[in-house]
Amino acid sequence: MLLPRPARLLRQCPRLPVRPLPLPRMASTATVVRPNPTAPGIDPSFGPLLREVDLTIRKQHRGSVPPVEHANAYASSSSPEGNHGPSPQHGELELQMPEEPDYAEAREERRSPAAVLGSKRLGLVVLPDQLAEAVQNEINENDPREVRQAFLSLLTSSQSRAKKDKLQVTPGLALGRAAALLPGEYAAVRNVIEEMERRLGDDWLVKAGGGVVEVSSTLGAGLWAVMDAQGLLEEGRGAEIKPQVGEYQLVHASRYGMELAQKLAKDLPSGSASISFRRKLSPEELSSPPGLVMSTFHLSSLPTTSSRRTHLRQLLSLSSQYLILIDRSSPSGWQAISEAREYLLSLSTPEAPLYALAPCPHDGACPLANGREACGFSQRLQRPRFLRKTKHSGRGEEDIGYSYLVIAKGERPKPHAGTDATMGRVGGVGKEEAEKARTKVEGKSELREVEGGEFEMVSLVDTSGLHSSPAVEPAAVDEEELRREAYTWPRLVAPPMKRSGHVIMDTCHPSGSIQRLTFPKSHSKQGYYDARKASWGDLFPHDPKGKEVLRTRGVRKLIRPEVDEGILAFSEDWPTAELVEEEAGEGEVASELVGLVEDMEGATVTTWKSGESGRKGTITHQRIGGQKREFSTSIRRHSARPVERKAQSDGSPPRPKVTLNELYRLAADKTPITCLTAYDYPTALLSESAGVDMVLIGDSLSQVALGYDSTTTITLDEMIHHSRAVSRGAKTPFIFADLPFGSFEASVQTGVESVVRLVKEGGVDGVKIEGGREIIPLVKRLSAIGIPVIPHLGLQPQRATSLSGYLVQGRTAQGAQELYETAQMMQDAGAFAILLEAIPHNLARHITDNLKIFTIGIGAGPGTSGQVLVITDVLGLYADGAKPRFVRHFGNVADEARKAVNGYVQEVKGGTFPELGKETYGMKKEEWDGFLATLAEGKGASTGQTGSATVRQGQGRSGASGAKGEDTEDGA
């Protein structure tokens, strides 16, 4: 533990003559009291030290206001002559520092007990000496320059390495990861473990079972954090403390990384725990189910949603009381955490309930999921020497961003009925306020400091009737009940905005929304003080008296970015390097994805400033430390074309891409999902501008767009061609396309190849396949490789011939049973949703209610999770023909289009289109006159040249005739 600088010096020199402290801030109108001057004979080199000690103790005594009878004792110790010299008893003050100072008890905590319980602030984390020495020794045994190069090889950029490139894992690369990343990963895990102790008590791990299993992409960050939190790493305390961790199993896939983790942990106390290192999860080696399972910085390294869910199911199968997931606060890390939260809570049942212990104060849908901002937190780390040298950075501190989730078994605890609402809400500030109010009632006086270091005595008048918030006497604190209340406190998701007289906080509220809370000083001094001392990530216990403001446009992180060489930013927007290791003889590949980019001077920051109409705006590119340039996005074109939306109707930037997680959230919230077909760029822009959630490139384009007689005629190449056009227009909806007839029936391999072409060449996000139980192997295969699949059940147009036409399906008991069972099988095969067409509405609702995935209906009633219609039906493009019962025309584009075309033909035939002046372009008169003059000159010159040529031609003929005549005559 690092001590403050004055304390460290005092421990080196435990007996120092120090001048007495000036009196606390008191005042008197009757007696003038001056503080004693500095005692003589003190070494001048201790001057700065004494000033720091003086300031420290002044802060500790600030706010302590003794009544007048106590102040008289201070006054009596002063010399009436003005104290030109020190008194025999108070001239020198000897400070004797104890061997084990308890700084926590140096002064009373001014925050309320509830605020202390909800605090997530850990301060500056220092790497344990054993770990720092172990890493430094490994670096000393190797060339530090090679460690630096290994660290640089982890960093990748779009210019130097493509996303598909792979780095071969070597011992040097593992050491570079330990030197550059392990300290920050340890700091993040340490913060989470500390929060668990504060929320659950010091013996929480013993009550949970004692054992710990960590599956990690790090080199034992969780192992060191747990050991340090238990106090087993403090010198000489390993044998005194009874360890709470019985067994600890660290699972790391990389062979060289595992070997290095074992080397680093060899100096851990031998009696602390039974530690085992494995490359695969081995629950059979544990003597009992673990009390804690952790996945540290591993979830985002798994490439697909299916693999991440498999990993989560493996962790849940260990039957631990608590599950902790920690990852980076990058977009990929936050997406992995948010998807894991949604998936794990969906597995909760009344028989086996689960709840989110932290950071969420509720178990509903996450209000920050699929937004532009991650639910992330920050922990400051004191960089060890090897970390600074590896990153070539002179900064001594580093802020580590992380996202985390703690899932616990059981029902979410709730406070008992009748609990005092003020329990634990009164701290040092509240007690001082109560003491001051009591002193005023009793009519006492106190000393207060005035200018010049003098004090005056003032009489206190009872003004309690003037205060809007009378002081509240503290109630007895029941720690266990206070911990139960903490499950319903809002959590700060951004740094609080501290203004003069009030504090503004954006919080994740137990109601499941982001709310802005404001705490002014006039409401409660204790609540205001706790609000000013609150920090990002804290649980805040006080209820605001003002109206909460619902935040619907995100939360702004009020953190000023720092640019420093060697600071790592983890972002999915940059190419990533993949670490791959092949174990000789086994052919087994262990891989992990690392997204590392280094912030450097000159990085470009892009900001958006919307225009008034929402159709044009200004994009500003600013180079850090350089000039700012901006350009307009308004482009003048010769011909009219669709305008690409640059902002939403409210002027904000375009909405984010709709993902599977967002679709699951809409289904969970009972918000109907909208889906429309699109066949080309214009129809795709319609769905984009209207905010449609899903866009289907259906094989119906064979009939409504290409003019074929059946949906079975369209080919895979034609589907890919139209998919490209749609993907260029629909930027944000989730796009999926029909797998056309004849492209998947032959075999599973044929189907996979066709789907891969659709995804790679067409740019779609998923595929829809018509069929029954025979397509289940294909659905399993596609889901296993990470391609979203939505089976099409009920009426299947591709099989209309075998179904004797377009008939409603599932009307009989046997047909309904087959449809229901097939839907269950498709869910088990890995389908992300099911499309139901032309089935009874009560059957569609029953299927939807009994599936864990969502459904999209067309002619299936309102009981499905969403609806889909053909875009030509919605627009009324073919309104003259017969339409199915479930089709509704929301417009009459056919009539409007015919009117437009007929009007065009009539205007052109009548000579009224185009209209001069309005629909034509003009030319300046002088330019036109010059053009005519040029034509006239050219015409005259052309006429002269023609006449000369005629004369010459006539002369030629005459000459020829004369010659011929002469020849004739001569001949005669």
Side-chain angles (χ1 to χ4, degrees):
M1 179 181 67
L2 288 181
L3 302 179
R5 179 173 174 266
R8 292 202 305 270
L9 295 178
L10 287 173
R11 291 190 67 179
Q12 298 172 5
C13 304
R15 301 181 66 87
L16 291 175
V18 183
R19 67 179 176 85
L21 296 175
L23 295 175
R25 301 189 178 208
M26 303 175 185
S28 172
T29 55
T31 307
V32 176
V33 185
R34 294 182 176 85
N36 291 332
T38 304
I42 299 179
D43 190 339
S45 62
F46 288 104
L49 167 65
L50 299 180
R51 283 193 295 271
E52 292 185 9
V53 174
D54 185 29
L55 290 176
T56 302
I57 304 181
R58 275 176 178 266
K59 293 180 180 179
Q60 293 178 355
H61 287 279
R62 186 177 301 165
S64 179
V65 185
V68 64
E69 53 266 21
H70 298 287
N72 292 335
Y74 289 98
S76 62
S77 63
S78 304
S79 173
E81 289 79 18
N83 284 343
H84 296 287
S87 63
Q89 297 180 356
H90 299 84
E92 292 185 354
L93 178 63
E94 294 185 353
L95 294 181
Q96 182 73 32
M97 297 298 297
E99 295 183 359
E100 295 293 337
D102 189 358
Y103 292 96
E105 299 180 357
R107 51 173 261 181
E108 183 182 8
E109 175 63 62
R110 293 175 61 80
R111 292 179 298 169
S112 64
V116 174
L117 175 64
S119 175
K120 188 176 173 59
R121 179 175 52 195
L122 192 58
L124 186 69
V125 171
V126 182
L127 206 64
D129 293 339
Q130 295 91 330
L131 179 56
E133 292 174 2
V135 176
Q136 186 65 61
N137 292 337
E138 292 294 328
I139 295 176
N140 294 339
E141 294 177 1
N142 297 269
D143 188 353
R145 291 173 296 183
E146 295 181 357
V147 177
R148 165 70 177 175
Q149 291 301 321
F151 160 67
L152 294 177
S153 66
L154 295 174
L155 303 176
T156 176
S157 64
S158 57
Q159 294 83 10
S160 62
R161 182 177 292 115
K163 199 167 186 176
K164 62 182 179 180
D165 291 347
K166 299 177 180 179
L167 287 174
Q168 193 71 23
V169 173
T170 62
L173 198 64
L175 182 57
R177 181 182 177 88
L181 305 181
L182 182 58
E185 294 164 342
Y186 160 82
V189 182
R190 184 70 176 85
N191 185 294
V192 176
I193 298 298
E194 182 72 19
E195 181 182 2
M196 295 289 287
E197 289 189 354
R198 188 173 294 153
R199 293 278 304 276
L200 302 175
D202 296 338
D203 57 346
W204 70 278
L205 200 49
V206 174
K207 294 180 179 178
V212 179
V213 173
E214 178 189 5
V215 182
S216 178
S217 291
T218 72
L219 302 178
L223 169 64
W224 286 92
V226 171
M227 295 301 172
D228 190 17
Q230 300 297 324
L232 300 174
L233 301 183
E234 298 183 17
E235 183 178 358
R237 298 192 64 184
E240 298 177 3
I241 300 179
K242 182 180 179 181
Q244 299 185 21
V245 181
E247 295 176 293
Y248 199 108
Q249 185 178 104
L250 176 62
V251 181
H252 182 86
S254 171
R255 176 162 62 93
Y256 295 119
M258 179 57 66
E259 292 175 356
L260 180 58
Q262 287 180 283
K263 290 181 181 179
L264 299 179
K266 65 181 181 180
D267 293 332
L268 284 174
S270 57
S272 58
S274 175
I275 305 175
S276 60
F277 299 85
R278 297 291 181 268
R279 295 188 61 188
K280 292 183 179 180
L281 194 61
S282 304
E284 67 278 358
E285 298 182 5
L286 298 173
S287 61
S288 61
L292 171 64
V293 174
M294 292 191 294
S295 177
T296 54
F297 301 93
H298 181 67
L299 203 58
S300 62
S301 67
L302 302 177
T304 63
T305 302
S306 177
S307 59
R308 289 193 287 269
R309 291 188 175 184
T310 301
H311 173 62
L312 294 174
R313 287 195 296 267
Q314 291 176 348
L315 299 182
L316 281 180
S317 65
L318 297 177
S319 302
S320 64
Q321 178 62 31
Y322 302 104
L323 171 60
I324 297 179
L325 307 176
I326 305 177
D327 219 304
R328 298 180 177 88
S329 58
S330 62
S332 59
W334 162 236
Q335 181 179 1
I337 292 293
S338 61
E339 290 178 354
R341 179 187 184 276
E342 183 175 4
Y343 177 69
L344 290 173
L345 292 180
S346 68
L347 300 179
S348 177
T349 61
E351 296 77 17
L354 301 173
Y355 69 93
L357 190 150
C360 313
H362 61 88
D363 297 329
C366 178
L368 292 179
N370 302 306
R372 294 187 296 269
E373 296 161 348
C375 180
F377 305 93
S378 179
Q379 175 57 54
R380 179 157 293 184
L381 166 74
Q382 178 177 302
R383 285 175 165 175
R385 181 172 176 268
F386 64 80
L387 178 58
R388 297 195 300 271
K389 288 187 172 295
T390 301
K391 293 187 176 182
H392 281 192
S393 174
R395 289 189 57 203
E397 298 173 351
E398 179 177 328
D399 291 328
I400 309 300
Y402 67 96
S403 296
Y404 76 107
L405 173 67
V406 181
I407 295 292
K409 286 187 175 181
E411 298 286 347
R412 173 176 286 272
K414 298 179 180 179
H416 295 99
T419 303
D420 188 358
T422 63
M423 183 184 66
R425 270 65 168 185
V426 179
V429 173
K431 293 179 181 178
E432 291 173 6
E433 189 68 14
E435 180 66 24
K436 183 179 295 185
R438 190 163 40 246
T439 303
K440 290 179 180 180
V441 172
E442 297 175 357
K444 296 182 179 180
S445 302
E446 64 178 19
L447 291 174
R448 290 182 181 174
E449 185 177 2
V450 296
E451 295 184 6
E454 299 181 351
F455 298 83
E456 65 177 0
M457 188 78 66
V458 295
S459 298
L460 300 180
V461 182
D462 183 11
T463 58
S464 57
L466 303 178
H467 291 271
S468 58
S469 299
V472 179
E473 291 290 340
V477 178
D478 185 348
E479 294 185 2
E480 188 63 30
E481 186 63 26
L482 202 60
R483 290 194 176 102
R484 297 178 69 89
E485 287 188 28
Y487 289 95
T488 60
W489 295 344
R491 185 181 293 272
L492 275 69
V493 294
M497 293 170 279
K498 301 174 183 179
R499 303 292 184 257
S500 177
H502 68 279
V503 180
I504 302 173
M505 298 181 289
D506 288 328
T507 63
C508 181
H509 200 266
S511 61
S513 61
I514 300 297
Q515 293 189 8
R516 170 162 287 186
L517 310 180
T518 302
F519 281 85
K521 188 175 183 180
S522 60
H523 284 182
S524 167
K525 288 190 176 181
Q526 183 66 66
Y528 174 71
Y529 182 85
D530 290 345
R532 293 199 68 86
K533 294 302 178 181
S535 58
W536 181 14
D538 288 357
L539 294 171
F540 196 73
H542 298 277
D543 295 327
K545 295 185 179 180
K547 182 179 179 181
E548 296 90 348
V549 179
L550 189 65
R551 302 282 290 170
T552 58
R553 296 181 59 186
V555 181
R556 182 183 179 186
K557 294 292 189 299
L558 302 176
I559 298 180
R560 187 175 183 178
E562 298 180 357
V563 179
D564 182 23
E565 66 282 356
I567 298 181
L568 297 182
F570 303 92
S571 173
E572 67 178 1
D573 297 331
W574 289 74
T576 58
E578 185 178 9
L579 304 181
V580 178
E581 176 186 354
E582 296 185 4
E583 186 172 355
E586 296 184 4
E588 184 178 318
V589 178
S591 65
E592 59 181 11
L593 300 178
V594 181
L596 307 176
V597 291
E598 186 170 13
D599 275 342
M600 296 179 291
E601 292 289 344
T604 302
V605 179
T606 304
T607 57
W608 166 267
K609 181 180 180 181
S610 62
E612 294 180 358
S613 64
R615 293 187 176 181
K616 83 171 184 177
T618 301
I619 297 178
T620 301
H621 293 278
Q622 180 176 2
R623 295 184 63 82
I624 299 176
Q627 296 180 349
K628 182 170 76 171
R629 300 179 180 180
E630 63 181 29
F631 59 90
S632 175
T633 60
S634 177
I635 301 175
R636 305 181 70 179
R637 300 181 183 274
H638 176 68
S639 60
R641 70 183 300 274
V643 178
E644 184 177 357
R645 291 174 60 85
K646 296 294 183 181
Q648 301 187 67
S649 58
D650 58 357
S652 60
R655 66 170 181 171
K657 173 75 175 178
V658 176
T659 61
L660 289 180
N661 195 30
E662 172 66 9
L663 295 174
Y664 282 125
R665 186 187 68 81
L666 292 174
D669 293 345
K670 304 299 181 182
T671 302
I673 299 172
T674 56
C675 181
L676 275 177
T677 62
Y679 308 123
D680 49 23
Y681 186 72
T683 53
L685 281 182
L686 289 177
S687 295
E688 173 70 24
S689 61
V692 174
D693 300 317
M694 302 178 70
V695 168
L696 168 64
I697 306 146
D699 55 6
S700 55
L701 75 87
S702 176
Q703 296 171 299
V704 302
L706 300 182
Y708 293 137
D709 295 332
S710 170
T711 60
T712 59
T713 311
I714 193 169
T715 64
L716 179 62
D717 290 334
E718 289 174 321
M719 288 294 299
I720 293 175
H721 172 77
H722 286 269
S723 297
R724 290 174 180 169
V726 171
S727 62
R728 286 191 289 267
K731 300 292 186 180
T732 59
F734 183 91
I735 304 175
F736 63 110
D738 255 320
L739 204 56
F741 180 78
S743 63
F744 63 92
E745 291 85 353
S747 64
V748 173
Q749 183 62 28
T750 303
V752 171
E753 292 174 356
S754 300
V755 171
V756 170
R757 284 196 62 195
L758 261 177
V759 173
K760 293 183 64 176
E761 301 176 28
V764 300
D765 301 318
V767 293
K768 180 172 76 69
I769 307 176
E770 293 187 16
R773 301 181 183 183
E774 71 281 355
I775 68 171
I776 289 179
L778 179 58
V779 174
K780 286 184 178 180
R781 178 61 179 159
L782 293 175
S783 300
I785 63 178
I787 298 178
V789 184
I790 175 169
H792 184 145
L793 304 182
L795 173 60
Q796 299 169 4
Q798 294 180 4
R799 305 186 182 191
T801 303
S802 62
L803 296 175
S804 301
Y806 297 91
L807 303 178
V808 179
Q809 303 296 308
R811 278 187 165 179
T812 65
Q814 182 180 357
Q817 180 69 18
E818 291 179 357
L819 276 176
Y820 176 75
E821 293 177 352
T822 304
Q824 293 283 353
M825 293 179 181
M826 294 297 181
Q827 174 184 263
D828 297 338
F832 81 93
I834 293 179
L835 190 141
L836 303 173
E837 180 174 1
I839 66 174
H841 64 89
N842 47 358
L843 175 59
R845 182 181 296 275
H846 183 77
I847 293 176
T848 303
D849 293 342
N850 288 274
L851 291 180
K852 296 181 180 178
I853 58 179
F854 63 90
T855 59
I856 301 295
I858 175 169
T864 56
S865 305
Q867 300 294 326
V868 60
L869 277 181
V870 177
I871 185 65
T872 55
D873 290 336
V874 172
L875 299 178
L877 194 58
Y878 303 117
D880 295 340
K883 65 182 181 69
R885 176 183 297 181
F886 58 82
V887 170
R888 180 191 299 179
H889 298 312
F890 292 85
N892 198 344
V893 175
D895 288 347
E896 295 298 327
R898 276 192 292 268
K899 290 180 182 178
V901 174
N902 290 334
Y904 166 74
V905 173
Q906 293 174 5
E907 294 284 345
V908 173
K909 294 290 186 181
T912 56
F913 176 81
E915 183 180 351
L916 290 177
K918 291 185 177 180
E919 298 164 333
T920 58
Y921 299 101
M923 188 176 182
K924 292 183 179 180
K925 185 177 184 303
E926 55 270 19
E927 297 294 337
W928 176 251
D929 293 340
F931 169 70
L932 295 178
T934 303
L935 288 180
E937 293 175 359
K939 184 176 182 180
S942 176
T943 303
Q945 291 176 0
T946 304
S948 300
T950 304
V951 172
R952 288 194 299 270
Q953 185 176 6
Q955 292 175 351
R957 289 199 196 98
S958 301
S961 300
K964 183 176 182 180
E966 291 175 357
D967 292 343
T968 303
E969 291 177 352
D970 292 343

